[in-house]
Amino acid sequence: MTSKFFKRSKAAASNPTRSKVLPSLSKKQLGDLVPKRGNKFAPKIGSALLKAAGWRTVGEIPNIPQAVVLALPHTSNVDGIYAIPSLFALDLKISIMGKHTLFKVPLFAQLLKWIGVIPIDRGNKGSVLQASIDKFKTGKPLFLGLAPEGTRQYTKDWKTGFYYLALGAGVPILPVVMDYKTKEIRFMSPVYPTGNIDVDLPKIYAQYRGVVPRYPERLSQPLQDINHLAE
């Protein structure tokens, strides 16, 4: 099944236009402060899968221990087939939030922790943001991945919780672009929230200019708008 996805990706971008500015990104380029998985075999497997799919990872990851990482655009479950190997290839650990009830089974809980899932009680809505901020306040290395579109379908607006999380935790926002046209996963320049969301959001949007998702018709409105400005 995976090979079928690879073939479809290649058909969608048979002659990808690679980034002319951003350099290729490898495990060796990650600084000592960046959260890592510490697995000897995963980078080799991840690199092999990416090469087989014709994808690559480019850009630069700042040598910082904490950040809110934005994964965009996310229009298909297939995105993970390329995103996960790219993280393994870099030995990069990006954590995500999951329902705390998933951790009730000990063996499954161990697997989730290895993957990087952080338990959050979503039933207590008022505490989710603060609980996420508290995860950063421990001082431990943490790259927390979020998808502000909140859906794989078209959406008019992004959910802005990621912004207030980064602001409250005092950490930068690191935009990551998944582009099916260039077949690249691009790590872009970090944005440090100032508290003025109307000023900071356009800085984030601009880094997704020209991106082509797996399903263009599902591209969120903010990214459609920034793409139209580029035309």
Side-chain angles (χ1 to χ4, degrees):
M1 181 177 291
T2 301
S3 61
K4 179 175 69 176
F5 288 134
F6 288 168
K7 290 178 181 178
R8 180 171 177 175
S9 175
K10 290 179 180 179
S14 57
N15 294 300
T17 303
R18 300 300 197 184
S19 294
K20 297 180 180 179
V21 177
L22 299 177
S24 295
L25 184 59
S26 69
K27 173 186 173 183
K28 295 180 180 179
Q29 294 167 296
L30 265 61
D32 59 332
L33 298 180
V34 176
K36 301 180 182 66
R37 305 193 65 85
N39 189 293
K40 295 181 180 180
F41 302 104
K44 295 180 181 180
I45 296 173
S47 296
L49 289 174
L50 278 182
K51 185 176 181 180
W55 281 66
R56 69 171 188 165
T57 307
V58 301
E60 183 177 355
I61 299 176
N63 190 23
I64 53 176
Q66 297 184 333
V68 170
V69 181
L70 301 189
L72 291 157
H74 182 33
T75 64
S76 169
N77 284 327
V78 176
D79 296 343
I81 291 180
Y82 310 113
I84 293 175
S86 73
L87 299 183
F88 282 178
L90 295 173
D91 195 32
L92 177 64
K93 183 177 182 180
I94 295 183
S95 300
I96 58 175
M97 295 186 292
K99 293 181 179 179
H100 69 291
T101 53
L102 296 174
F103 289 76
K104 290 184 177 181
V105 180
L107 289 178
F108 189 48
Q110 290 181 9
L111 175 61
L112 291 175
K113 289 179 180 178
W114 180 81
I115 294 173
V117 180
I118 299 174
I120 292 290
D121 185 357
R122 297 182 184 275
N124 193 349
K125 296 182 179 179
S127 68
V128 172
L129 177 59
Q130 187 57 51
S132 301
I133 292 174
D134 290 342
K135 294 293 183 183
F136 283 102
K137 294 299 184 182
T138 64
K140 296 179 179 179
L142 175 62
F143 274 22
L144 183 61
L146 297 173
E149 292 163 318
T151 175
R152 290 182 295 277
Q153 302 299 321
Y154 165 82
T155 183
K156 183 179 179 181
D157 300 297
W158 287 8
K159 296 180 181 297
T160 55
F162 76 90
Y163 180 85
Y164 295 104
L165 168 56
L167 181 65
V171 301
I173 297 166
L174 182 60
V176 179
V177 181
M178 188 167 195
D179 195 333
Y180 277 78
K181 180 179 180 180
T182 61
K183 300 180 77 173
E184 291 174 338
I185 295 172
R186 300 194 288 269
F187 284 80
M188 306 301 286
S189 301
V191 174
Y192 290 80
T194 64
N196 190 335
I197 191 170
D198 293 329
V199 171
D200 295 338
L201 273 185
K203 296 177 183 177
I204 298 172
Y205 294 155
Q207 301 200 54
Y208 291 89
R209 185 174 286 120
V211 66
V212 176
R214 183 174 177 83
Y215 296 113
E217 68 275 12
R218 297 181 184 178
L219 193 65
S220 61
Q221 192 61 51
L223 298 190
Q224 287 191 32
D225 292 342
I226 201 67
N227 281 342
H228 290 158
L229 291 175
E231 294 176 353

